Amino acid sequence: MRLERRERTPPLLLVAAPMAAIVTALVLCSLLIGLAGAPVLAAYATLFQEALGSRLGITETLTRATPLILTGLGAAVAFRARFWNIGLEGQFYLGAIAVAALGSADWGLPPALLVPLLLLAGALAGALFLLGPALLKLRLGVDEVVTTLLLNFVAILLVSLLIEGPMKDPLAFGWPQSVPVTEAGLLPQLLARTRLHLGFALALLAALAIAFLNARTVFGLSARAVGLGTPAARHAGIPVGRVLLLTAMLSGALAGLAGAVEVTGLKGYVTTDLSPGFGTAGVIVAMLASLNPLGVVPAAIFVAAVFVGADAMARAHGVPSFIADVIVATALLTMLVALFLTEYRVRR
């Protein structure tokens, strides 16, 4: 038996591989659900019924998926050019705190002007926070995995310092949270009596924009060439340094925008637990989508559905709620195997 690279991957295989990976992950995790003493089919039925079986469940899943789409796009953009941005969590928090700092003041602007300005400020904060690791990589060859990962802790500690100090809300009864964003700076709801807000539509537009950028622009082609091989791209005349810098800034901007959307659309203020791991989950979403911007949307919805439905499954069947993390992690592993098999085949 040997592995042989495929000369051409059938389109049907590209579609079937991700679906097979998710089904395989659910089958593997069913063993753990069975060991917990719960009926497997009933447990999965409860999970997906809670997340996708009602108006409330669907809107909660889409609300949870909104920041995942944006952080997933940030990871997909960077990874496509082989810039390993692991600092999405820190960029998320920088975007959030920038919005809280600017949005708490009364600028006298109508919502139609104030909201875009706040979202732009959040995206800019995330982009600037990634500027340092990008320059260190380009100028000194410092591994961006280390710098972006360590800056996550810097960002969270900085946010904690601000919301415990100069940005602490005096009306929060001692609870560590930032001053709230004014009413004019909040995103409107998409559906009445739900938490689903306009940020979900913005995330969908961002996915379409990144897909267009990758497929129809010179920059998208250049980033793809740099990702496939830096020496070959440089030999072809592509400005590798400029492409990597712009890619890093775009990736950080998307993660910062995720933090801005979470504050203006859902929370209204910043706390240290604003993100339950949106940055890390964004990397998983990007890998589940095979770095395809359009694939990020269903991947994010799947991850969000698992997390939303896991609590109901835990209450109804006694399965530990951290089974959601196991399902998502297993799905990532099976997806990596599926992607490998789309490029290679086993020959006797």
Side-chain angles (χ1 to χ4, degrees):
M1 306 291 288
R2 62 185 176 88
L3 291 174
E4 179 181 86
R5 182 180 288 273
R6 297 178 185 271
E7 295 181 0
R8 176 179 173 274
T9 303
L12 182 60
L13 182 60
L14 292 174
V15 176
M19 299 177 64
I22 291 175
V23 171
T24 303
L26 294 177
V27 171
L28 292 175
C29 291
S30 67
L31 301 176
L32 297 177
I33 295 175
L35 289 175
V40 174
L41 294 180
Y44 278 139
T46 301
L47 186 150
F48 289 106
Q49 175 67 27
E50 179 71 14
L52 303 171
S54 65
R55 181 175 184 267
L56 176 61
I58 292 173
T59 54
E60 283 297 308
T61 297
L62 297 181
T63 301
R64 185 72 173 265
T66 298
L68 290 176
I69 294 173
L70 292 170
T71 55
L73 289 173
V77 165
F79 291 1
R80 188 170 181 266
R82 298 298 176 93
F83 184 88
W84 308 113
N85 178 17
I86 313 298
L88 296 159
E89 190 83 358
Q91 295 140 33
F92 175 96
Y93 272 103
L94 261 292
I97 201 66
V99 166
L102 295 176
S104 59
D106 185 8
W107 298 95
L109 297 174
L113 290 178
L114 183 58
V115 171
L117 288 176
L118 292 180
L119 296 180
L120 181 61
L124 183 61
L128 291 178
F129 196 61
L130 193 54
L131 180 61
L135 291 177
L136 286 174
K137 174 183 175 66
L138 295 175
R139 300 298 183 186
L140 302 175
V142 178
D143 189 354
E144 71 275 17
V145 173
V146 176
T147 53
T148 55
L149 180 63
L150 293 179
L151 281 177
N152 283 333
F153 302 99
V154 174
I156 295 174
L157 290 173
L158 175 61
V159 168
S160 179
L161 173 67
L162 291 174
I163 65 177
E164 289 279 8
M167 289 185 62
K168 187 173 183 177
D169 186 1
L171 302 179
F173 302 103
W175 185 259
Q177 69 181 49
S178 73
V179 287
V181 177
T182 60
E183 189 71 24
L186 299 179
L187 288 169
Q189 291 179 331
L190 285 181
L191 293 175
R193 299 187 302 277
T194 70
R195 300 202 305 165
L196 184 63
H197 51 81
L198 187 61
F200 178 69
L202 295 177
L204 296 181
L205 290 176
L208 292 173
I210 297 300
F212 177 83
L213 185 73
N214 286 347
R216 301 294 181 182
T217 66
V218 175
F219 172 74
L221 179 62
S222 300
R224 176 63 173 165
V226 171
L228 291 175
T230 300
R234 186 176 287 112
H235 182 73
I238 295 174
V240 173
R242 185 192 310 167
V243 169
L244 282 176
L245 184 61
L246 292 176
T247 298
M249 298 290 282
L250 179 57
S251 175
L254 288 166
L257 180 60
V261 165
E262 191 71 2
V263 172
T264 57
L266 193 61
K267 297 292 186 179
Y269 53 85
V270 179
T271 59
T272 53
D273 60 351
L274 178 67
S275 168
F278 288 133
T280 305
V283 174
I284 297 175
V285 166
M287 298 306 297
L288 288 176
S290 305
L291 307 185
N292 185 324
L294 298 181
V296 163
V297 176
I301 293 174
F302 166 74
V303 172
V306 170
F307 281 111
V308 169
D311 290 335
M313 183 172 65
R315 291 192 302 269
H317 303 286
V319 180
S321 59
F322 59 78
I323 190 66
D325 298 290
V326 179
I327 292 174
V328 172
T330 306
L332 174 61
L333 295 176
T334 55
M335 179 62 72
L336 293 176
V337 174
L339 292 177
F340 179 79
L341 293 178
T342 59
E343 296 187 12
Y344 293 86
R345 56 186 175 187
V346 180
R347 296 297 297 269
R348 184 181 297 276

